[in-house]
Structure formats: C-alpha cells, structure tokens
Amino acid sequence: DYSEEVMEHFTNPRNVGEIENASGVGTVGNAKCGDIMRIYLDVDDNQIIRDCKFKTFGCGAAVATSSMATEMIKGKSIQEALKLTNKAVMEALGGLPPVKVHCSLLAEEAVHAALWDYAQKH
Amino acid sequence: DYSEEVMEHFTNPRNVGEIENASGVGTVGNAKCGDIMRIYLDVDDNQIIRDCKFKTFGCGAAVATSSMATEMIKGKSIQEALKLTNKAVMEALGGLPPVKVHCSLLAEEAVHAALWDYAQKH
Ligand code: FES
C-alpha cells in the first residue's frame, strides 16, 4: 500500500512537461521494466534551478518520485541539487514498497543526468 | 519506441476513474513489476456494458492498453467483452515493445476479473 504523499503526487503530479531550450536535459531508461524518464532544467546565471519539468512513461511510483524530486530541487543551486538522493525523495514521500524502489531511482538518475548535461554545456 | 496510438491513449487516457456501486469490479496485480490495476463495470439489465472505468498505478503501457480496452468493451454485451484479448488490444494500439507486453496483460486480466465479479453477483 502507498502512503498518502505518494498517492497525492501520483494523482496530482507537479512539474509535468517539457522546457524548451532547457539548460540541461537528462534522459534515463530503466532496464528492469523498460520505462523511460526525462528531466529538463532551467538554470539561471547564478546556477540556481529556476524551473524543472519531467516526462515519463513510468508507473505511479516513478511519477510520484519525479514530482517530489523536481519540487525538492526547484530554487536550489546545482551544487545542492547534486546532493539529492533517492533516499531523501522516498523519505519525503513517506516510503515506497520494496518492489517499487527501482522505479524511484529513475528520478535520481535523470536529475543527475540533467545536471551533468548542464555542466558539460557551461 | 511507441506507436502514435499508444502515445495518444497514454497522454489522453479514456475512462479513467471509478464507478460507484459498480455491477462488477476486477482488481489484478502484476507480479513482474508490482503494479496494480482496477476496472469497474456498469452493466444494464440486458447485460450490456453501459460504462467502464479504470484506475492503475501502472506505467504508460498499462494506461494506454486499459484506455483502449475500456473503449473496446463499452456498449458490448458481457459475452462479447469476455472475448476481448490482449492481442486485439495491442493490435488496436499498433503494437507494444516486447518488454511492455506484461503491462498490457493487466488490462485483459482486470476486465476478466470484473466480468467474473459481475457473473458471481448476478
Ligand atoms: S511496468 Fe508495471 S504496468 Fe508497466
């Protein structure tokens, strides 16, 4: 069974969409279930994440963790965002069933890939 | 990569929701990925499926196949609905990648479980 926070972020996900001319884009795939996740960052001149959006074909757990993860890095510096862990996102969501932990990794990996993409371009 | 029909039913799914006092409800889980699906049927006195809704925690492939499956059984008799196969739903969607076939089975199994639930109650 899923926590209230998971159900809330699943049924009403934050930051779904794309960012045109994003400062950084990260796309990762999940070998276990074949799902895909993409995260877009809009980073300002002071290296603050002004906006952040995601798209995924993944399940409810992937949607909820991405929704929470994007909320957690918005307004943060890229240095702070790099410290975002899957564990912190899951804790903020009140936990996930063990079988769904691999889904939540998509969000962390996509954030890191997008930050890496930003770093390479700047 | 996904067909246009899959992306259309994923981004704009039909028949998402619940039916109060449904004639039949089917809930199934997917052992492979831990996802869950529920289908609600509203069947009239002539055994015609008047309405049909679904809820799932599953991925985009599960959403798209349920959306298509519910469209395919609405207005049908319960005898016709029992003949709905996963194969027919996937064909109507223009196919799915092999790694996602297990997701599409959720829809077929949930429809059958809901029809079985209806049959037991009537
Ligand atoms: S991966 Fe679970 S329903 Fe698709």
Side-chain angles (χ1 to χ4, degrees):
Chain A
D1 273 40
Y2 294 100
S3 73
E4 259 178 55
E5 287 86 353
V6 170
M7 291 313 294
E8 163 58 22
H9 278 266
F10 167 53
T11 53
N12 182 25
R14 280 66 149 175
N15 311 312
V16 174
E18 297 176 41
I19 296 177
E20 270 188 61
N21 302 117
S23 324
V25 180
T27 308
V28 294
N30 190 320
K32 191 157 176 184
C33 60
D35 286 331
I36 196 161
M37 165 86 60
R38 181 170 291 163
I39 281 186
Y40 301 83
L41 301 177
D42 176 22
V43 182
D44 73 13
D45 293 340
N46 298 315
Q47 303 203 325
I48 302 295
I49 298 169
R50 194 158 35 189
D51 199 9
C52 179
K53 301 246 185 239
F54 77 95
K55 286 182 81 172
T56 186
F57 206 71
C59 71
V63 170
T65 49
S66 311
S67 172
M68 181 59 90
T70 51
E71 285 290 276
M72 289 170 82
I73 65 170
K74 260 211 272 189
K76 297 271 169 68
S77 68
I78 63 163
Q79 280 76 15
E80 288 172 302
L82 268 169
K83 293 184 202 141
L84 182 84
T85 62
N86 189 50
K87 195 162 164 283
V89 177
M90 288 208 296
E91 273 170 17
L93 284 171
L96 276 175
V99 70
K100 290 275 117 184
V101 172
H102 75 278
C103 313
S104 70
L105 283 169
L106 274 178
E108 181 190 288
E109 286 167 11
V111 167
H112 287 172
L115 289 165
W116 180 248
D117 182 48
Y118 167 80
Q120 285 197 306
K121 285 176 178 162
H122 291 85
Chain B
D1 275 39
Y2 294 100
S3 73
E4 259 177 56
E5 287 86 354
V6 170
M7 290 314 295
E8 161 60 22
H9 279 266
F10 168 53
T11 52
N12 183 26
R14 279 67 149 175
N15 311 311
V16 173
E18 295 176 43
I19 297 175
E20 270 188 60
N21 301 118
S23 324
V25 179
T27 308
V28 295
N30 190 320
K32 188 156 178 184
C33 61
D35 287 327
I36 195 162
M37 165 85 59
R38 182 169 289 163
I39 280 183
Y40 302 82
L41 301 177
D42 175 23
V43 182
D44 73 13
D45 293 340
N46 298 316
Q47 303 202 325
I48 301 295
I49 298 170
R50 195 159 34 187
D51 199 8
C52 181
K53 301 248 186 237
F54 78 95
K55 285 182 82 172
T56 186
F57 207 71
C59 70
V63 170
T65 49
S66 311
S67 172
M68 181 59 90
T70 51
E71 285 289 277
M72 287 169 84
I73 65 172
K74 259 212 272 189
K76 298 271 168 70
S77 70
I78 63 163
Q79 280 75 17
E80 286 171 304
L82 269 170
K83 293 182 201 143
L84 182 84
T85 63
N86 187 51
K87 195 161 164 281
V89 176
M90 287 208 297
E91 274 170 14
L93 283 171
L96 275 174
V99 70
K100 292 273 118 185
V101 172
H102 75 278
C103 313
S104 71
L105 283 169
L106 275 176
E108 181 190 288
E109 286 166 13
V111 166
H112 288 170
L115 290 165
W116 180 249
D117 182 50
Y118 167 81
Q120 284 196 306
K121 286 176 178 160
H122 292 85

